[in-house]
Amino acid sequence: MNRREFLQYAAAAALALSAATNAIAQSGNAETRQNPIDKDNGGTNMKHELPALPYAYNALEPHYDEQTVRLHHDKHHAAYVAGQNKAEEMLEEARKSGDFALIQHWEKQLAFHGAGNYMHTLFWQNMAPNAGGVPSGALAKQIEADFGSFESFKKQFSAAAVAVEGSGWVTLAWKPEWKKLYILQVENHQKLVIPGVLPLLVLDVWEHAYYLKYQNRRADWVDALWNLTNWPDVEKRFDGVK
Ligand code: MN
């Protein structure tokens, strides 16, 4: 086999391997679709999928209106999933072609849309109909240890949410290395975080999250969240990482 033949052979082998990998990934996708929230691991060649809402569109009324929930999930969250898939696809293309001219653009798109997808997935699970109240168990103890009391935590979280500059989030996050909970503002979906923190509770304060019902009254939207907070979900996340 001369060099030219070898290169042709190598290219054909690579294509065959790639096709086989795709086939495996696609056969896995059928299962992924059944429970995308738990199964979406973003592995090689796996497309991220929009997770189904864990409740009906109108289930969070009157605090969170059906029309906003529908648009927020079906349009906004869906766009982040699509944007993440696109960025991952284009980065794969760049690796194949060796052309990294647009690397900065696609890396930024990956961070923005990937974080957007992740934060929204948490956001929907962090809420539940007829929820709210106060946390219990290990999480309640940790909140008291790190914030003084649940009331102090709540005040800081609300104040931080209302004060996010422009579009963003507030999150209660656990930093495993420091064994400490933090309240962090997040600009866009990904800026201002301490690397390595694990968000447990997130609140979306982008205008798209609340403007139809609350208009410019972001503080009212933040207040409304406390009637929807799914503490068992937040506690479960904490128990899994503490
Ligand atoms: Mn949003």
Side-chain angles (χ1 to χ4, degrees):
M1 192 184 285
N2 65 28
R3 181 180 153 77
R4 186 191 171 86
E5 282 167 338
F6 173 75
L7 287 176
Q8 280 171 350
Y9 168 79
L15 268 181
L17 180 64
S18 161
T21 313
N22 272 325
I24 291 165
Q26 276 159 15
S27 69
N29 265 356
E31 193 194 351
T32 306
R33 276 194 198 92
Q34 289 169 8
N35 194 345
I37 290 177
D38 294 324
K39 296 289 176 55
D40 181 0
N41 59 13
T44 311
N45 289 332
M46 292 276 271
K47 289 281 186 204
H48 301 274
E49 292 177 19
L50 178 66
L53 266 191
Y55 31 72
Y57 288 107
N58 64 358
L60 305 178
E61 296 265 12
H63 309 291
Y64 207 11
D65 60 296
E66 174 175 357
Q67 189 187 12
T68 307
V69 170
R70 198 175 278 279
L71 286 167
H72 197 177
H73 177 268
D74 292 5
K75 303 297 179 190
H76 292 278
H77 188 174
Y80 297 125
V81 174
Q84 181 181 9
N85 283 328
K86 178 74 177 172
E88 292 187 11
E89 200 181 296
M90 295 311 287
L91 287 164
E92 191 180 345
E93 283 302 310
R95 289 192 296 274
K96 279 183 190 156
S97 68
D99 178 357
F100 290 102
L102 295 177
I103 187 67
Q104 189 178 30
H105 174 73
W106 291 116
E107 293 286 1
K108 279 188 176 183
Q109 289 284 299
L110 175 63
F112 178 79
H113 290 286
N117 178 21
Y118 187 66
M119 295 293 268
H120 282 92
T121 300
L122 281 181
F123 176 64
W124 301 121
Q125 296 184 6
N126 279 168
M127 293 185 291
N130 306 313
V134 297
S136 61
L139 178 66
K141 288 200 181 84
Q142 195 69 43
I143 286 176
E144 275 177 33
D146 291 334
F147 299 99
S149 68
F150 177 69
E151 280 311 308
S152 304
F153 153 76
K154 200 171 153 180
K155 277 185 192 159
Q156 183 182 336
F157 191 93
S158 291
V162 171
V164 169
E165 255 179 6
S167 299
W169 299 75
V170 66
T171 181
L172 169 68
W174 174 245
K175 177 67 175 162
E177 295 86 345
W178 302 338
K179 300 242 173 277
K180 198 166 153 75
L181 290 168
Y182 290 91
I183 291 166
L184 295 168
Q185 291 181 321
V186 183
E187 289 180 3
N188 288 2
H189 304 300
Q190 79 283 14
K191 298 177 184 175
L192 300 185
V193 292
I194 298 171
V197 298
L198 304 166
L200 306 172
L201 172 66
V202 300
L203 172 57
D204 192 340
V205 291
W206 282 59
E207 285 183 351
H208 73 223
Y210 63 85
Y211 212 83
L212 286 178
K213 183 175 173 72
Y214 295 97
Q215 289 86 43
N216 60 322
R217 302 184 308 278
R218 187 193 279 184
D220 291 355
W221 160 233
V222 172
D223 278 348
L225 172 88
W226 300 115
N227 300 303
L228 299 173
T229 310
N230 182 1
W231 285 114
D233 176 66
V234 185
E235 288 159 14
K236 188 189 72 188
R237 291 177 194 286
F238 182 61
D239 291 340
V241 297
K242 73 178 187 323

